[in-house]
Amino acid sequence: MSRILLRRVAGGVLLFLALLLTPGVAVAGFLASAFVTASVPVLVVVGLGCGALAGGLLGRAAFALFGLDCRPALRASAFLTVGLTAAVALLAAVTVLRPMPVTTAAPAPPGVRFWKLPTGSRIAYVHAPATGRARPTPVIFLHGGPGTPGEGVPTGGRELAADGFDVYSYDQLGAGRSTRLRDVTGYTVARQVADLEAIRRTLGADRIILVGQSWGGSLTAQYLAAHGEHVAKAVFTSPGALWGRQYPGAGAGEPWHRLSPAKKARLDRLNSAPRIIAASLLLQINPGAAHALVGDREVDHWMHEVALQGKDSTSCEDAPPAKAHNNPQGFYGNQLTVRDFERLPDPRPRLRTLRVPSLIMRGECDFIKPAVTAEYQHTLAGSELVTVRGAGHSLSGEQPGRYTALLRAFLLDEPHPVPRK
């Protein structure tokens, strides 16, 4: 009697394991198949097949322990397998396979133009033409992120145009209204540098002036290392890491340090979406599979929502809310470019050989660690570091007057303006 009871208990345990492990095995099969294919239908079929096999084998063993003969045990395990597979398929359909909201394509505002570069990129840009006596060296603003473009002529751009500079600002590859790549592994720092060099050639300028914000500062340094002879001056505004491998992940600074409870809850919901978790896992295995599962319009919309939660968390505490715009972020451009950036060799030995006049601006409330910003001053000969009071990461947004005055003075070779007390 005790032996029969033990067999039934063991059978019950196996049934419980079938219920518990079938979804997990299905997920494992789904992810494992991404090592060999980016086809979502194949990933789904393999995942469901692995789950069905696990559930069927455990069910067959469980029903045998219950004392069922071979044929009844097979029939019962078949019903169990079909039921578990259907349940897993339904769960996947309403979570991982359920599309998210997408970015609504809106007409480009007036003033947006496009370059078709020899690199294959179609780059959206805005231009503030020089007025008065034109200067030969154009100014190019580089936005942050990667993948987080601005909208319109940046702060200070029109003032520089009035000073005689041709001013340009563009959406980097994979961001804003510029090209999205079908093969997302093409988002590399080298491609961004190649695009910028192609832009310089398109403008017909022997030398350019670069103004890089956040990640744009990191990109400016990479361009300097590759084409320093073509840079007349460089401005680094709240720059990110100079060398990605030195500060991987959030090592350079944590931007999510000051969120309201409502925004923190909203951010947690966004980050815990099963479809985003699946895409993030696939990115580590096969970026093409992640892109096939969650397309650009979906994931760029998700990234925009994330950015909205944190847009005011990088400023000084008493700063007014920043104004949002609808030029879309680029998720895959962000993720793959950051990954590539953290694998690059150290650019500092090359940068130390250059003699390019450089201004580094940092907000006193910037979340980027002071040591990260100081690395630019230590590496770039003759560079100057200025700390802007009353500003966080976005100097141009929180202290536009001071930012513009410093920018103009540096580019016009004038003394730095003394801040008002």
Side-chain angles (χ1 to χ4, degrees):
M1 196 68 165
S2 60
R3 182 176 298 179
I4 294 175
L5 180 60
L6 286 174
R7 287 172 60 90
R8 289 180 177 178
V9 169
V13 171
L14 287 180
L15 277 180
F16 176 75
L17 287 175
L19 295 172
L20 186 66
L21 294 180
T22 296
V25 173
V27 170
F30 178 87
L31 295 175
S33 59
F35 282 101
V36 295
T37 182
S39 171
V40 174
V42 173
L43 301 183
V44 172
V45 169
V46 171
L48 290 176
C50 290
L53 180 62
L57 290 175
L58 288 170
R60 173 69 180 86
F63 291 125
L65 288 172
F66 285 147
L68 295 181
D69 293 333
C70 182
R71 297 185 69 177
L74 286 174
R75 189 179 303 114
S77 64
F79 279 117
L80 177 67
T81 300
V82 171
L84 287 175
T85 304
V88 171
L90 178 62
L91 181 63
V94 300
T95 55
V96 172
L97 302 179
R98 183 182 181 182
M100 300 185 300
V102 299
T103 297
T104 302
V112 176
R113 306 175 187 177
F114 292 88
W115 286 308
K116 291 185 177 179
L117 302 179
T119 58
S121 301
R122 183 175 184 264
I123 297 296
Y125 73 97
V126 292
H127 174 212
T131 59
R133 183 181 177 183
R135 300 173 186 269
T137 309
V139 176
I140 302 177
F141 284 80
L142 303 178
H143 66 71
T148 307
E151 183 75 291
V153 178
T155 299
R158 299 202 182 279
E159 289 82 353
L160 292 178
D163 291 327
F165 294 99
D166 270 306
V167 175
Y168 297 88
S169 178
Y170 71 95
D171 299 345
Q172 296 161 25
L173 177 73
R177 300 177 182 89
S178 293
T179 297
R180 298 297 193 276
L181 296 178
R182 292 184 178 180
D183 179 4
V184 295
T185 61
Y187 292 121
T188 63
V189 177
R191 175 64 178 268
Q192 300 286 5
V193 169
D195 279 350
L196 181 51
E197 172 63 3
I199 289 169
R200 181 193 67 80
R201 292 173 178 269
T202 298
L203 297 178
D206 179 59
R207 295 200 299 169
I208 54 180
I209 296 169
L210 297 177
V211 182
Q213 158 68 25
S214 190
W215 150 255
S218 303
L219 179 56
T220 295
Q222 290 292 320
Y223 184 84
L224 274 171
H227 304 286
E229 69 279 8
H230 292 301
V231 181
K233 291 185 176 182
V235 179
F236 301 88
T237 307
S238 304
L242 186 59
W243 182 28
R245 196 180 300 177
Q246 187 179 19
Y247 295 101
E254 175 53 63
W256 304 100
H257 67 287
R258 188 166 56 83
L259 294 176
S260 68
K263 288 188 174 182
K264 178 65 167 60
R266 172 64 173 155
L267 181 63
D268 289 343
R269 290 195 298 271
L270 287 166
N271 287 333
S272 61
R275 192 163 169 85
I276 285 296
I277 293 174
S280 299
L281 291 171
L282 288 173
L283 267 175
Q284 309 307 313
I285 300 169
N286 183 346
H291 191 229
L293 176 67
V294 187
D296 290 300
R297 291 181 62 200
E298 276 187 69
V299 80
D300 289 356
H301 178 84
W302 175 87
M303 187 174 175
H304 179 71
E305 290 297 314
V306 169
L308 288 178
Q309 309 315 306
K311 69 180 180 67
D312 300 320
S313 69
T314 63
S315 58
C316 294
E317 290 191 15
D318 57 349
K323 184 179 180 180
H325 60 75
N326 292 317
N327 196 13
Q329 281 88 3
F331 175 82
Y332 289 109
N334 172 277
Q335 295 292 301
L336 275 301
T337 304
V338 167
R339 179 191 297 186
D340 181 63
F341 181 57
E342 293 176 356
R343 296 172 176 171
L344 295 180
D346 189 350
R348 292 173 297 181
R350 164 62 177 155
L351 292 174
R352 290 189 184 104
T353 68
L354 302 178
R355 296 295 182 270
V356 176
S358 301
L359 173 65
I360 307 149
M361 289 190 275
R362 169 188 173 80
E364 66 172 344
C365 306
D366 193 0
F367 72 88
I368 297 292
K369 296 175 181 177
V372 175
T373 311
E375 190 74 51
Y376 285 82
Q377 186 182 25
H378 299 155
T379 303
L380 299 168
S383 61
E384 184 176 2
L385 173 61
V386 177
T387 299
V388 178
R389 298 186 64 180
H393 194 58
S394 177
L395 297 176
S396 62
E398 295 171 61
Q399 293 292 332
R402 176 69 173 150
Y403 167 80
T404 300
L406 285 167
L407 187 60
R408 291 184 63 228
F410 175 67
L411 297 189
L412 296 173
D413 296 316
E414 296 177 351
H416 288 332
V418 177
R420 295 178 181 178
K421 294 184 180 180

